[in-house]
Amino acid sequence: DAKKKYLLGQAYGIRAFYYFHLLRTYGGVPIRLEPEALNGNTDPVALRKVRAPETEVLSTIKADISKSLTSFGTTASPTEKSQWSPNASAMLKGDVLDRKS
């Protein structure tokens, strides 16, 4: 259970980082939070999504960072510097909160 929470913390943190990078580069972007192609939806027309407003993307990023920090809990950061860590999520939170919308 602890390993699962740690991996979820990494996944939410990395997803928040990628969406934050997309937001800074392009503004509003399509938000995809479910693996629809893996759930059997392979129709390219049905998989299209419109761009979400910047405020919605930003709230999704903040929610993912919160989930990441909650999933990590009080786990210590890994000694492997190439892995996403609780400290990386905390730094990303600072960047997101510092963003001037």
Coordinates of all heavy atoms in Angstrom, one line a residue:
D1 N 0.8 -1.2 0.0 CA 0.0 0.0 0.0 C 0.9 1.3 0.0 O 0.6 2.2 -0.7 CB -0.9 0.0 1.2 CG -2.0 1.1 1.1 OD1 -2.6 1.2 0.1 OD2 -2.2 1.7 2.1
A2 N 2.0 1.2 0.8 CA 2.8 2.4 0.8 C 3.5 2.6 -0.6 O 3.6 3.8 -1.0 CB 3.9 2.2 1.9
K3 N 3.9 1.6 -1.2 CA 4.5 1.7 -2.5 C 3.5 2.2 -3.6 O 3.9 3.1 -4.4 CB 5.0 0.3 -3.0 CG 5.7 0.2 -4.3 CD 7.0 0.9 -4.3 CE 7.8 0.6 -5.6 NZ 9.0 1.2 -5.6
K4 N 2.3 1.8 -3.5 CA 1.2 2.3 -4.4 C 1.0 3.7 -4.2 O 0.9 4.5 -5.2 CB -0.1 1.5 -4.2 CG -1.2 1.9 -5.0 CD -2.5 1.2 -4.7 CE -3.6 1.7 -5.5 NZ -4.9 1.1 -5.2
K5 N 0.9 4.2 -2.9 CA 0.8 5.6 -2.7 C 1.9 6.4 -3.2 O 1.8 7.5 -3.7 CB 0.6 5.9 -1.2 CG -0.8 5.4 -0.7 CD -1.0 5.8 0.8 CE -2.4 5.4 1.3 NZ -2.6 5.7 2.7
Y6 N 3.1 5.9 -3.0 CA 4.3 6.6 -3.5 C 4.3 6.7 -5.0 O 4.6 7.8 -5.5 CB 5.6 5.9 -3.0 CG 6.8 6.7 -3.2 CD1 7.2 7.7 -2.3 CD2 7.6 6.5 -4.3 CE1 8.3 8.4 -2.4 CE2 8.8 7.3 -4.5 CZ 9.1 8.2 -3.5 OH 10.2 9.0 -3.7
L7 N 4.0 5.7 -5.7 CA 3.9 5.7 -7.2 C 2.8 6.7 -7.6 O 3.0 7.4 -8.6 CB 3.7 4.3 -7.7 CG 4.9 3.4 -7.5 CD1 4.5 2.0 -8.0 CD2 6.1 3.9 -8.3
L8 N 1.6 6.7 -6.9 CA 0.6 7.6 -7.3 C 1.1 9.1 -7.1 O 0.8 10.0 -7.8 CB -0.7 7.4 -6.5 CG -1.5 6.2 -6.9 CD1 -2.6 5.9 -5.9 CD2 -2.1 6.5 -8.3
G9 N 1.8 9.3 -6.0 CA 2.4 10.6 -5.7 C 3.3 11.1 -6.9 O 3.2 12.2 -7.3
Q10 N 4.1 10.1 -7.4 CA 4.9 10.5 -8.5 C 4.1 10.7 -9.8 O 4.4 11.7 -10.5 CB 5.9 9.3 -8.8 CG 7.0 9.2 -7.8 CD 8.0 8.1 -8.1 OE1 7.6 7.1 -8.7 NE2 9.2 8.2 -7.8
A11 N 3.1 9.9 -10.0 CA 2.3 10.1 -11.2 C 1.6 11.4 -11.3 O 1.6 12.1 -12.3 CB 1.4 8.9 -11.4
Y12 N 0.9 11.7 -10.2 CA 0.2 13.0 -10.1 C 1.1 14.2 -10.2 O 0.8 15.2 -10.9 CB -0.6 13.1 -8.8 CG -1.9 12.3 -8.7 CD1 -2.1 11.3 -7.7 CD2 -2.9 12.4 -9.7 CE1 -3.2 10.6 -7.7 CE2 -4.0 11.6 -9.7 CZ -4.2 10.7 -8.6 OH -5.3 10.0 -8.6
G13 N 2.3 14.1 -9.6 CA 3.2 15.2 -9.7 C 3.8 15.4 -11.1 O 3.9 16.5 -11.5
I14 N 4.1 14.3 -11.8 CA 4.6 14.4 -13.1 C 3.5 14.9 -14.1 O 3.8 15.8 -14.9 CB 5.2 13.1 -13.6 CG1 6.5 12.8 -12.8 CG2 5.5 13.1 -15.1 CD1 7.0 11.4 -13.0
R15 N 2.3 14.5 -13.9 CA 1.2 14.9 -14.7 C 1.0 16.4 -14.5 O 0.8 17.2 -15.5 CB -0.1 14.2 -14.5 CG -1.2 14.6 -15.4 CD -2.4 13.7 -15.3 NE -3.1 13.9 -14.1 CZ -4.2 13.1 -13.8 NH1 -4.6 12.2 -14.6 NH2 -4.8 13.3 -12.7
A16 N 1.0 16.9 -13.3 CA 0.9 18.3 -13.0 C 2.0 19.1 -13.6 O 1.8 20.2 -14.2 CB 0.9 18.6 -11.5
F17 N 3.2 18.6 -13.6 CA 4.4 19.3 -14.2 C 4.2 19.4 -15.7 O 4.4 20.5 -16.3 CB 5.7 18.5 -13.9 CG 6.9 19.0 -14.6 CD1 7.5 20.2 -14.3 CD2 7.4 18.3 -15.7 CE1 8.6 20.7 -15.0 CE2 8.5 18.8 -16.4 CZ 9.1 20.0 -16.1
Y18 N 3.8 18.3 -16.4 CA 3.6 18.4 -17.8 C 2.5 19.4 -18.2 O 2.6 20.1 -19.1 CB 3.3 17.0 -18.4 CG 4.5 16.1 -18.5 CD1 4.5 14.8 -18.1 CD2 5.7 16.6 -18.9 CE1 5.6 14.0 -18.2 CE2 6.9 15.8 -19.0 CZ 6.8 14.5 -18.6 OH 7.9 13.7 -18.7
Y19 N 1.4 19.3 -17.5 CA 0.3 20.3 -17.8 C 0.7 21.7 -17.5 O 0.3 22.6 -18.2 CB -1.0 19.9 -17.0 CG -1.9 19.0 -17.8 CD1 -2.0 17.6 -17.4 CD2 -2.6 19.4 -18.9 CE1 -2.8 16.8 -18.1 CE2 -3.4 18.5 -19.7 CZ -3.5 17.2 -19.2 OH -4.3 16.3 -20.0
F20 N 1.5 21.9 -16.5 CA 2.0 23.3 -16.2 C 2.9 23.8 -17.3 O 2.8 24.9 -17.7 CB 2.7 23.3 -14.8 CG 3.1 24.7 -14.4 CD1 2.2 25.7 -14.2 CD2 4.4 25.0 -14.1 CE1 2.5 27.0 -13.8 CE2 4.8 26.2 -13.7 CZ 3.9 27.2 -13.6
H21 N 3.7 22.9 -17.8 CA 4.6 23.2 -18.9 C 3.8 23.6 -20.2 O 4.0 24.5 -20.9 CB 5.6 22.1 -19.2 CG 6.6 22.5 -20.3 ND1 7.5 23.4 -20.2 CD2 6.7 22.0 -21.5 CE1 8.3 23.5 -21.3 NE2 7.8 22.6 -22.1
L22 N 2.8 22.7 -20.4 CA 1.9 23.0 -21.6 C 1.1 24.3 -21.4 O 1.0 25.1 -22.4 CB 0.9 21.9 -21.7 CG 1.4 20.6 -22.3 CD1 0.4 19.4 -22.1 CD2 1.9 20.7 -23.7
L23 N 0.7 24.6 -20.2 CA 0.0 25.8 -19.9 C 0.9 27.1 -20.2 O 0.4 28.0 -20.8 CB -0.5 25.9 -18.5 CG -1.3 27.1 -18.0 CD1 -2.6 27.2 -18.7 CD2 -1.5 27.1 -16.5
R24 N 2.1 27.0 -19.7 CA 3.0 28.1 -19.9 C 3.3 28.3 -21.4 O 3.6 29.4 -21.8 CB 4.3 27.9 -19.1 CG 4.1 28.1 -17.7 CD 5.4 28.1 -16.9 NE 6.1 26.8 -17.2 CZ 7.3 26.4 -16.7 NH1 7.9 27.3 -16.0 NH2 7.8 25.3 -17.0
T25 N 3.4 27.2 -22.1 CA 3.7 27.3 -23.6 C 2.6 27.7 -24.5 O 2.7 28.5 -25.3 CB 4.3 25.9 -24.0 OG1 5.4 25.5 -23.2 CG2 4.8 26.0 -25.4
Y26 N 1.4 27.0 -24.3 CA 0.3 27.2 -25.2 C -0.9 27.9 -24.6 O -1.9 28.2 -25.3 CB -0.1 25.8 -25.7 CG 1.0 25.1 -26.4 CD1 1.5 24.0 -25.9 CD2 1.4 25.5 -27.7 CE1 2.5 23.3 -26.5 CE2 2.4 24.8 -28.3 CZ 3.0 23.7 -27.7 OH 4.0 23.0 -28.4
G27 N -1.0 28.1 -23.3 CA -2.2 28.6 -22.7 C -3.2 27.4 -22.4 O -2.7 26.4 -21.9
G28 N -4.4 27.6 -22.8 CA -5.4 26.5 -22.6 C -5.1 25.3 -23.5 O -4.7 25.5 -24.6
V29 N -5.2 24.1 -22.9 CA -4.9 22.9 -23.7 C -6.0 21.9 -23.3 O -6.7 22.0 -22.3 CB -3.5 22.3 -23.3 CG1 -2.4 23.2 -23.7 CG2 -3.4 22.0 -21.8
P30 N -6.2 20.9 -24.2 CA -7.2 19.9 -23.9 C -6.7 19.1 -22.6 O -5.6 18.8 -22.4 CB -7.1 18.9 -25.1 CG -6.5 19.7 -26.2 CD -5.6 20.7 -25.5
I31 N -7.7 18.8 -21.7 CA -7.4 18.1 -20.5 C -7.9 16.7 -20.7 O -9.0 16.4 -20.9 CB -8.1 18.7 -19.3 CG1 -7.5 20.1 -19.1 CG2 -7.8 17.9 -18.0 CD1 -8.3 20.9 -18.0
R32 N -7.0 15.7 -20.5 CA -7.3 14.3 -20.6 C -6.8 13.6 -19.4 O -5.6 13.5 -19.1 CB -6.7 13.7 -21.9 CG -7.1 12.3 -22.1 CD -6.8 11.7 -23.4 NE -7.3 12.6 -24.5 CZ -8.5 12.5 -25.1 NH1 -9.5 11.8 -24.5 NH2 -8.8 13.3 -26.1
L33 N -7.7 13.2 -18.5 CA -7.4 12.6 -17.2 C -7.7 11.1 -17.2 O -7.3 10.4 -16.2 CB -8.1 13.3 -16.1 CG -7.9 14.8 -16.0 CD1 -8.7 15.4 -14.9 CD2 -6.4 15.1 -15.8
E34 N -8.4 10.6 -18.2 CA -8.7 9.2 -18.2 C -8.1 8.6 -19.5 O -8.1 9.2 -20.5 CB -10.2 8.9 -18.2 CG -10.9 9.4 -17.0 CD -10.5 8.6 -15.8 OE1 -10.3 7.4 -15.9 OE2 -10.4 9.2 -14.7
P35 N -7.6 7.3 -19.4 CA -7.0 6.7 -20.6 C -8.1 6.1 -21.5 O -8.3 4.9 -21.5 CB -6.1 5.6 -20.0 CG -6.9 5.2 -18.7 CD -7.4 6.5 -18.2
E36 N -8.7 6.9 -22.2 CA -9.9 6.5 -23.0 C -9.5 5.5 -24.1 O -10.3 4.6 -24.4 CB -10.6 7.7 -23.7 CG -11.2 8.7 -22.6 CD -11.7 9.9 -23.3 OE1 -12.3 9.8 -24.4 OE2 -11.6 11.0 -22.6
A37 N -8.4 5.6 -24.7 CA -8.0 4.6 -25.7 C -7.8 3.2 -25.1 O -8.1 2.2 -25.7 CB -6.7 5.1 -26.4
L38 N -7.3 3.2 -23.8 CA -7.1 1.9 -23.2 C -8.4 1.3 -22.7 O -8.5 0.2 -22.5 CB -6.2 2.1 -22.0 CG -4.7 2.4 -22.3 CD1 -3.9 2.6 -21.0 CD2 -4.1 1.3 -23.1
N39 N -9.4 2.2 -22.6 CA -10.8 1.7 -22.2 C -11.6 1.3 -23.4 O -12.8 1.1 -23.2 CB -11.5 2.8 -21.4 CG -10.9 3.1 -20.1 OD1 -10.2 2.2 -19.5 ND2 -11.1 4.3 -19.5
G40 N -11.0 1.2 -24.5 CA -11.7 0.7 -25.7 C -12.1 1.7 -26.7 O -12.6 1.4 -27.8
N41 N -12.0 3.0 -26.4 CA -12.4 4.1 -27.3 C -11.2 4.4 -28.2 O -10.3 5.1 -27.8 CB -12.9 5.3 -26.5 CG -13.3 6.4 -27.4 OD1 -13.5 6.2 -28.7 ND2 -13.6 7.5 -26.9
T42 N -11.2 3.9 -29.4 CA -10.1 4.1 -30.4 C -10.5 4.9 -31.6 O -9.7 5.1 -32.5 CB -9.5 2.8 -30.8 OG1 -10.6 2.0 -31.4 CG2 -8.9 2.0 -29.7
D43 N -11.7 5.5 -31.6 CA -12.2 6.3 -32.7 C -11.5 7.7 -32.6 O -11.7 8.4 -31.6 CB -13.7 6.4 -32.6 CG -14.2 7.3 -33.8 OD1 -13.6 7.4 -34.8 OD2 -15.4 7.8 -33.6
P44 N -10.7 8.1 -33.6 CA -10.0 9.3 -33.5 C -10.9 10.5 -33.4 O -10.6 11.5 -32.7 CB -9.2 9.4 -34.8 CG -9.6 8.3 -35.6 CD -10.4 7.3 -34.8
V45 N -12.1 10.5 -34.0 CA -13.0 11.6 -33.9 C -13.6 11.7 -32.5 O -13.7 12.8 -32.0 CB -14.1 11.5 -35.0 CG1 -15.2 12.6 -34.8 CG2 -13.6 11.4 -36.4
A46 N -13.9 10.6 -31.9 CA -14.5 10.6 -30.6 C -13.4 11.0 -29.5 O -13.7 11.5 -28.4 CB -15.0 9.3 -30.2
L47 N -12.1 10.8 -29.8 CA -11.1 11.1 -28.9 C -10.7 12.6 -28.9 O -9.9 13.1 -28.1 CB -9.8 10.3 -29.2 CG -9.9 8.8 -28.8 CD1 -8.7 8.1 -29.3 CD2 -10.1 8.7 -27.3
R48 N -11.2 13.4 -29.9 CA -10.8 14.8 -30.0 C -11.4 15.5 -28.8 O -12.5 15.3 -28.3 CB -11.4 15.4 -31.2 CG -10.7 15.0 -32.5 CD -11.2 15.9 -33.6 NE -10.9 15.2 -34.9 CZ -11.6 15.3 -36.0 NH1 -12.7 16.1 -36.0 NH2 -11.2 14.7 -37.0
K49 N -10.7 16.5 -28.3 CA -11.2 17.4 -27.2 C -10.8 18.8 -27.5 O -9.8 19.1 -28.1 CB -10.5 17.0 -25.9 CG -11.0 15.7 -25.3 CD -10.5 15.6 -23.9 CE -11.6 14.9 -23.2 NZ -11.6 15.1 -21.8
V50 N -11.7 19.7 -27.1 CA -11.4 21.1 -27.3 C -10.5 21.6 -26.2 O -10.3 21.0 -25.1 CB -12.7 21.9 -27.2 CG1 -13.6 21.5 -28.4 CG2 -13.4 21.8 -25.9
R51 N -9.9 22.8 -26.4 CA -9.0 23.3 -25.4 C -9.8 23.8 -24.2 O -10.8 24.4 -24.4 CB -8.3 24.6 -26.0 CG -7.2 24.2 -27.0 CD -6.6 25.5 -27.5 NE -5.5 25.2 -28.4 CZ -4.2 25.7 -28.2 NH1 -4.0 26.5 -27.2 NH2 -3.3 25.3 -29.0
A52 N -9.3 23.5 -23.1 CA -9.9 24.0 -21.8 C -9.4 25.4 -21.5 O -8.3 25.7 -21.9 CB -9.6 23.0 -20.7
P53 N -10.2 26.2 -20.9 CA -9.7 27.5 -20.5 C -8.5 27.4 -19.5 O -8.4 26.4 -18.8 CB -10.9 28.2 -19.8 CG -12.1 27.3 -20.1 CD -11.6 26.0 -20.5
E54 N -7.7 28.5 -19.5 CA -6.5 28.4 -18.7 C -6.8 28.3 -17.2 O -6.1 27.6 -16.5 CB -5.7 29.7 -18.9 CG -5.0 29.8 -20.2 CD -4.1 31.0 -20.3 OE1 -3.5 31.5 -19.2 OE2 -3.9 31.5 -21.4
T55 N -7.9 28.8 -16.8 CA -8.3 28.7 -15.4 C -8.6 27.2 -15.0 O -8.3 26.8 -13.9 CB -9.5 29.6 -15.0 OG1 -10.6 29.3 -15.9 CG2 -9.2 31.0 -15.1
E56 N -9.3 26.5 -15.9 CA -9.6 25.1 -15.7 C -8.3 24.3 -15.7 O -8.2 23.3 -14.9 CB -10.5 24.6 -16.8 CG -11.1 23.2 -16.5 CD -12.0 22.8 -17.6 OE1 -12.6 23.6 -18.3 OE2 -12.2 21.5 -17.7
V57 N -7.4 24.6 -16.6 CA -6.1 23.8 -16.6 C -5.4 24.1 -15.3 O -4.8 23.2 -14.7 CB -5.3 24.2 -17.8 CG1 -3.9 23.5 -17.8 CG2 -6.0 23.9 -19.1
L58 N -5.3 25.3 -14.9 CA -4.6 25.7 -13.6 C -5.3 25.0 -12.4 O -4.5 24.5 -11.6 CB -4.6 27.2 -13.5 CG -3.6 27.8 -12.5 CD1 -2.2 27.4 -12.8 CD2 -3.7 29.3 -12.4
S59 N -6.6 24.9 -12.4 CA -7.2 24.2 -11.3 C -6.9 22.7 -11.3 O -6.8 22.1 -10.3 CB -8.7 24.5 -11.2 OG -9.4 23.9 -12.3
T60 N -6.8 22.1 -12.5 CA -6.5 20.7 -12.6 C -5.0 20.5 -12.1 O -4.8 19.5 -11.4 CB -6.6 20.3 -14.1 OG1 -7.9 20.5 -14.5 CG2 -6.2 18.8 -14.3
I61 N -4.2 21.4 -12.5 CA -2.8 21.3 -12.0 C -2.7 21.4 -10.5 O -2.0 20.6 -9.9 CB -1.9 22.4 -12.6 CG1 -1.8 22.2 -14.1 CG2 -0.5 22.5 -12.0 CD1 -1.2 23.4 -14.9
K62 N -3.4 22.3 -9.9 CA -3.4 22.5 -8.4 C -4.0 21.2 -7.8 O -3.5 20.8 -6.7 CB -4.2 23.7 -8.0 CG -3.5 25.0 -8.4 CD -4.3 26.2 -8.0 CE -3.7 27.5 -8.4 NZ -4.5 28.7 -8.1
A63 N -5.0 20.6 -8.4 CA -5.6 19.4 -7.8 C -4.6 18.3 -7.9 O -4.5 17.5 -6.9 CB -6.9 19.1 -8.5
D64 N -3.9 18.1 -9.0 CA -2.9 17.1 -9.1 C -1.8 17.2 -8.1 O -1.3 16.3 -7.5 CB -2.4 17.0 -10.5 CG -3.2 16.2 -11.5 OD1 -4.2 15.5 -11.0 OD2 -3.0 16.2 -12.7
I65 N -1.3 18.5 -7.9 CA -0.3 18.7 -6.9 C -0.7 18.3 -5.5 O 0.0 17.7 -4.8 CB 0.2 20.2 -7.0 CG1 0.9 20.4 -8.3 CG2 1.1 20.5 -5.8 CD1 1.2 21.9 -8.5
S66 N -2.0 18.7 -5.2 CA -2.5 18.3 -3.9 C -2.6 16.8 -3.7 O -2.2 16.3 -2.7 CB -3.9 19.0 -3.8 OG -4.5 18.6 -2.5
K67 N -3.1 16.1 -4.8 CA -3.2 14.7 -4.7 C -1.8 14.1 -4.6 O -1.6 13.1 -3.9 CB -3.8 14.1 -6.0 CG -5.3 14.4 -6.1 CD -5.8 13.9 -7.4 CE -7.2 14.3 -7.7 NZ -7.7 13.9 -9.0
S68 N -0.8 14.7 -5.3 CA 0.6 14.2 -5.2 C 1.1 14.3 -3.8 O 1.7 13.3 -3.2 CB 1.5 14.9 -6.2 OG 2.8 14.6 -6.0
L69 N 1.0 15.5 -3.2 CA 1.5 15.7 -1.8 C 0.8 14.8 -0.8 O 1.4 14.3 0.1 CB 1.4 17.1 -1.5 CG 2.4 18.0 -2.3 CD1 2.1 19.5 -2.0 CD2 3.8 17.7 -2.0
T70 N -0.5 14.6 -1.0 CA -1.3 13.7 -0.1 C -0.9 12.3 -0.2 O -0.7 11.6 0.7 CB -2.8 13.9 -0.4 OG1 -3.2 15.2 -0.3 CG2 -3.6 13.0 0.5
S71 N -0.6 11.9 -1.5 CA -0.2 10.5 -1.7 C 1.2 10.2 -1.1 O 1.4 9.1 -0.6 CB -0.2 10.1 -3.2 OG -1.5 10.2 -3.7
F72 N 2.1 11.2 -1.3 CA 3.4 11.0 -0.7 C 3.3 10.9 0.8 O 4.1 10.2 1.4 CB 4.3 12.1 -1.1 CG 4.9 12.0 -2.5 CD1 4.9 13.0 -3.4 CD2 5.6 10.8 -2.8 CE1 5.4 12.8 -4.7 CE2 6.2 10.6 -4.1 CZ 6.1 11.7 -5.0
G73 N 2.5 11.7 1.4 CA 2.4 11.7 2.9 C 3.6 12.2 3.5 O 4.2 13.2 3.1
T74 N 4.1 11.5 4.5 CA 5.4 11.9 5.2 C 6.5 11.1 4.7 O 7.6 11.0 5.4 CB 5.2 11.7 6.7 OG1 4.9 10.3 6.9 CG2 4.1 12.6 7.2
T75 N 6.4 10.4 3.5 CA 7.5 9.6 3.0 C 8.7 10.5 2.7 O 8.6 11.6 2.2 CB 7.0 9.0 1.7 OG1 5.8 8.3 1.9 CG2 8.1 8.0 1.1
A76 N 9.9 10.0 3.0 CA 11.1 10.7 2.7 C 11.4 10.7 1.2 O 11.0 9.8 0.5 CB 12.3 10.1 3.5
S77 N 12.1 11.7 0.8 CA 12.5 11.8 -0.6 C 13.4 10.6 -1.0 O 14.2 10.2 -0.1 CB 13.1 13.1 -0.9 OG 12.2 14.1 -0.8
P78 N 13.4 10.1 -2.2 CA 14.3 9.0 -2.6 C 15.7 9.5 -2.7 O 15.9 10.7 -2.9 CB 13.7 8.6 -4.0 CG 13.1 9.8 -4.5 CD 12.5 10.5 -3.3
T79 N 16.6 8.6 -2.6 CA 18.0 9.0 -2.7 C 18.4 9.1 -4.2 O 19.3 9.7 -4.6 CB 19.0 8.0 -2.1 OG1 18.7 6.7 -2.6 CG2 18.8 8.0 -0.6
E80 N 17.6 8.4 -5.1 CA 17.7 8.5 -6.5 C 17.2 9.9 -7.0 O 16.0 10.1 -6.9 CB 17.0 7.4 -7.2 CG 17.1 7.3 -8.7 CD 18.5 7.0 -9.2 OE1 19.2 6.2 -8.6 OE2 18.9 7.7 -10.2
K81 N 18.1 10.7 -7.5 CA 17.8 12.1 -7.9 C 17.0 12.1 -9.2 O 16.4 13.2 -9.5 CB 19.0 12.9 -8.0 CG 19.7 13.1 -6.6 CD 20.8 14.1 -6.8 CE 21.6 14.2 -5.5 NZ 21.0 14.7 -4.4
S82 N 16.9 11.0 -9.9 CA 16.2 11.1 -11.2 C 14.7 10.8 -11.0 O 13.9 10.8 -12.0 CB 16.8 10.0 -12.2 OG 16.6 8.7 -11.6
Q83 N 14.2 10.5 -9.8 CA 12.8 10.2 -9.6 C 12.1 11.4 -9.1 O 12.6 12.3 -8.4 CB 12.7 9.1 -8.5 CG 13.2 7.8 -9.0 CD 13.0 6.7 -7.9 OE1 12.4 7.0 -6.8 NE2 13.4 5.5 -8.2
W84 N 10.8 11.5 -9.4 CA 9.9 12.6 -8.9 C 9.8 12.4 -7.4 O 9.6 11.2 -6.9 CB 8.6 12.6 -9.6 CG 7.8 13.8 -9.3 CD1 6.9 14.0 -8.3 CD2 7.9 15.0 -10.0 NE1 6.4 15.3 -8.3 CE2 7.0 15.9 -9.4 CE3 8.6 15.5 -11.1 CZ2 6.8 17.2 -9.8 CZ3 8.5 16.8 -11.5 CH2 7.6 17.6 -10.9
S85 N 9.8 13.4 -6.6 CA 9.8 13.3 -5.2 C 8.8 14.2 -4.5 O 8.3 15.1 -5.2 CB 11.2 13.6 -4.6 OG 11.5 14.9 -4.8
P86 N 8.6 14.1 -3.2 CA 7.7 15.1 -2.6 C 8.3 16.5 -2.6 O 7.5 17.4 -2.8 CB 7.7 14.6 -1.1 CG 8.1 13.2 -1.1 CD 9.0 13.0 -2.4
N87 N 9.6 16.6 -2.6 CA 10.2 17.9 -2.7 C 9.9 18.5 -4.1 O 9.8 19.8 -4.2 CB 11.7 17.8 -2.4 CG 12.0 17.5 -1.0 OD1 11.1 17.7 -0.1 ND2 13.1 17.0 -0.7
A88 N 9.9 17.7 -5.1 CA 9.7 18.2 -6.5 C 8.2 18.7 -6.6 O 8.0 19.8 -7.2 CB 9.9 17.1 -7.5
S89 N 7.3 18.0 -6.0 CA 5.9 18.4 -5.9 C 5.8 19.8 -5.2 O 5.0 20.6 -5.6 CB 5.0 17.4 -5.3 OG 4.9 16.3 -6.2
A90 N 6.5 19.9 -4.1 CA 6.4 21.1 -3.3 C 7.0 22.3 -4.1 O 6.4 23.4 -4.1 CB 7.2 20.9 -2.0
M91 N 8.1 22.1 -4.8 CA 8.7 23.1 -5.6 C 7.7 23.5 -6.8 O 7.6 24.7 -7.1 CB 10.0 22.7 -6.2 CG 11.1 22.6 -5.2 SD 11.6 24.2 -4.5 CE 12.3 25.0 -5.9
L92 N 7.1 22.5 -7.4 CA 6.1 22.8 -8.4 C 4.9 23.6 -7.9 O 4.5 24.5 -8.5 CB 5.6 21.5 -9.1 CG 4.6 21.6 -10.2 CD1 5.2 22.5 -11.4 CD2 4.2 20.3 -10.7
K93 N 4.5 23.3 -6.7 CA 3.4 24.0 -6.1 C 3.8 25.5 -5.9 O 3.0 26.4 -6.2 CB 3.1 23.4 -4.7 CG 1.9 24.1 -4.0 CD 1.6 23.4 -2.7 CE 0.4 24.0 -2.0 NZ 0.1 23.4 -0.8
G94 N 5.0 25.7 -5.5 CA 5.5 27.1 -5.4 C 5.5 27.8 -6.7 O 5.1 29.0 -6.8
D95 N 5.9 27.2 -7.8 CA 5.9 27.8 -9.1 C 4.5 28.1 -9.6 O 4.2 29.1 -10.2 CB 6.6 26.9 -10.2 CG 8.1 26.9 -10.1 OD1 8.6 27.8 -9.4 OD2 8.7 26.0 -10.7
V96 N 3.6 27.1 -9.4 CA 2.2 27.3 -9.8 C 1.5 28.5 -9.0 O 0.9 29.3 -9.6 CB 1.4 26.0 -9.6 CG1 -0.1 26.2 -9.8 CG2 1.9 24.9 -10.6
L97 N 1.8 28.5 -7.7 CA 1.1 29.6 -6.9 C 1.8 30.9 -7.2 O 1.1 32.0 -7.0 CB 1.3 29.3 -5.4 CG 0.5 28.0 -5.0 CD1 0.7 27.8 -3.5 CD2 -1.0 28.2 -5.3
D98 N 3.0 30.9 -7.7 CA 3.7 32.2 -8.1 C 3.3 32.7 -9.5 O 3.5 33.8 -9.8 CB 5.2 32.0 -8.0 CG 6.0 33.3 -8.1 OD1 5.6 34.2 -7.5 OD2 6.9 33.3 -8.9
R99 N 2.6 31.8 -10.2 CA 2.2 32.2 -11.6 C 1.2 33.4 -11.6 O 0.3 33.4 -10.9 CB 1.6 31.0 -12.3 CG 1.1 31.3 -13.7 CD 0.5 30.1 -14.3 NE -0.3 30.4 -15.4 CZ 0.1 30.8 -16.6 NH1 1.3 30.9 -16.9 NH2 -0.8 31.0 -17.6
K100 N 1.5 34.3 -12.4 CA 0.6 35.5 -12.6 C -0.4 35.2 -13.7 O 0.0 35.1 -14.8 CB 1.4 36.8 -12.9 CG 2.5 37.1 -12.0 CD 2.0 37.5 -10.6 CE 3.1 38.0 -9.8 NZ 3.4 37.3 -8.6
S101 N -1.6 34.9 -13.4 CA -2.6 34.5 -14.4 C -3.1 35.7 -15.2 O -3.5 36.7 -14.7 CB -3.8 33.8 -13.8 OG -3.3 32.6 -13.2

